[in-house]
Amino acid sequence: MGRVTETIDAVAALVAAGGVVVVSGAGLSTESGIPDYRGPTGVARRHTPMTYQAFVGDAAARRRYWARSHLGWRTIVGARPNAGHRAVARLQDAGLVDGVITQNVDGLHTAAGSGQVVELHGRLDTVVCLGCGDRTSRGELDRRLVAANPGFDAAFAVVNPDGDVDLDDDRVAGFRMVDCGCCGAGMLKPDVVFFGETVPAARVARCFAMVDAARAVLVLGSSLTVLSGRRFVLRAAKSGIPVVIANQGVTRGDGYAALRVDAPLGRFLPVLADRVAAVVPPGSGLLAAG
């Protein structure tokens, strides 16, 4: 236990100095009931996520996605921030975390009260028309899909990290899709970055600017397997900015980390916030936020 305590104290000392940018991944949301791909609850080996190319080029693939996502949405919309999300917001309220770069599409950082959140891969609660560009809420689309598919329901065991579920082909075949309610004919897509799709350049540039201005980068719940998130760790390391990684299991960024913690984030982050509260000056706001 002594070594773990020393590590938490070292992380707390780094965070207490401020200027921290958080880079979060799916492992932060597992305790809210949303599984990740590669961690202890990972589904990567049994689930192939939708690619952008398949979605736009194959009507059957689109139908399959929307049928599965229509059912999975119940879990996503019902998810609530966990103690880890709240601890990040607490550290930000104290002025120690300058911003959050999240690879998650669940909106839980914002729901927990964090600001300056860059949702690298978009959000599942928004839908975009690929024809006219109109954006609507997922709640509105859900109401339209319910109306178009009365009685559509199915049993499923696991909701995947991108918000869909595994569903038999015969159930998919009977699902009715809907087009854009604005232009009447456009293809609807969740406003998220699918595999094979490129993150908007301006969004990436904003993230790089946040990292460049940081005193430290705190990675939470990401295996950093995909370059989309790992590039910010590489950028920080190249600039000599300390990187702290807290994740259950090894990551592809471990070789760049100044400090490494392997622990459930819902337990580690509140403890971290308490340790930071013990060393920041009174009146900073952190003690009152606890």
Side-chain angles (χ1 to χ4, degrees):
M1 184 62 183
R3 180 65 178 275
V4 175
T5 301
E6 290 171 7
T7 301
I8 294 177
D9 287 343
V11 175
L14 198 62
V15 172
V20 177
V21 167
V22 167
V23 176
S24 70
L28 185 59
S29 293
T30 56
E31 292 171 68
S32 294
I34 302 174
D36 61 4
Y37 278 114
R38 300 175 179 87
T41 65
V43 298
R45 284 174 290 185
R46 65 175 181 271
H47 173 69
T48 302
M50 176 62 64
T51 67
Y52 178 78
Q53 292 75 14
F55 186 88
V56 299
D58 186 344
R62 269 195 311 282
R63 182 184 306 278
R64 184 167 60 252
Y65 174 84
W66 279 121
R68 295 175 173 183
S69 182
H70 181 55
L71 296 178
W73 174 243
R74 302 295 182 274
T75 295
I76 300 297
V77 75
R80 296 293 179 264
N82 62 52
H85 295 107
R86 294 192 294 272
V88 172
R90 183 181 168 196
L91 292 168
Q92 192 171 24
D93 285 344
L96 305 177
V97 170
D98 291 342
V100 177
I101 300 168
T102 184
Q103 300 170 83
N104 300 336
V105 295
D106 51 38
L108 293 179
H109 275 296
T110 301
S114 285
Q116 299 300 315
V117 178
V118 179
E119 285 150 332
L120 189 64
H121 298 149
R123 284 178 61 143
L124 276 174
D125 62 2
T126 304
V127 178
V128 61
C129 173
L130 298 183
C132 70
D134 183 59
R135 278 177 164 76
T136 54
S137 75
R138 181 62 181 268
E140 172 60 27
L141 175 63
D142 186 64
R143 289 188 286 274
R144 294 179 63 204
L145 288 174
V146 168
N149 297 275
F152 182 82
D153 200 2
F156 57 89
V158 176
V159 175
N160 297 310
D162 48 7
D164 69 0
V165 303
D166 293 329
L167 194 61
D168 292 338
D169 289 343
D170 59 341
R171 297 292 293 143
V172 171
F175 186 79
R176 293 184 58 197
M177 295 189 296
V178 298
D179 291 322
C180 175
C182 181
C183 69
M187 182 191 304
L188 295 179
K189 172 185 173 291
D191 196 13
V192 299
V193 178
F194 282 165
F195 282 79
E197 191 175 4
T198 303
V199 178
R203 196 179 301 169
V204 175
R206 181 183 174 191
C207 293
F208 276 139
M210 290 169 64
V211 171
D212 290 344
R215 288 191 64 263
V217 170
L218 177 60
V219 178
L220 302 175
S222 177
S223 66
L224 301 172
T225 300
V226 180
L227 183 60
S228 182
R230 191 169 71 254
R231 57 185 154 186
F232 304 120
V233 169
L234 299 176
R235 177 77 158 235
K238 184 177 180 180
S239 301
I241 298 168
V243 174
V244 178
I245 297 178
N247 184 68
Q248 285 191 273
V250 298
T251 83
R252 288 194 65 184
D254 286 352
Y256 303 97
L259 295 167
R260 178 73 170 86
V261 178
D262 192 325
L265 297 179
R267 294 206 295 267
F268 165 71
L269 288 171
V271 171
L272 173 64
D274 288 342
R275 295 289 175 89
V276 173
V279 297
V280 296
S284 67
L286 185 59
L287 293 173

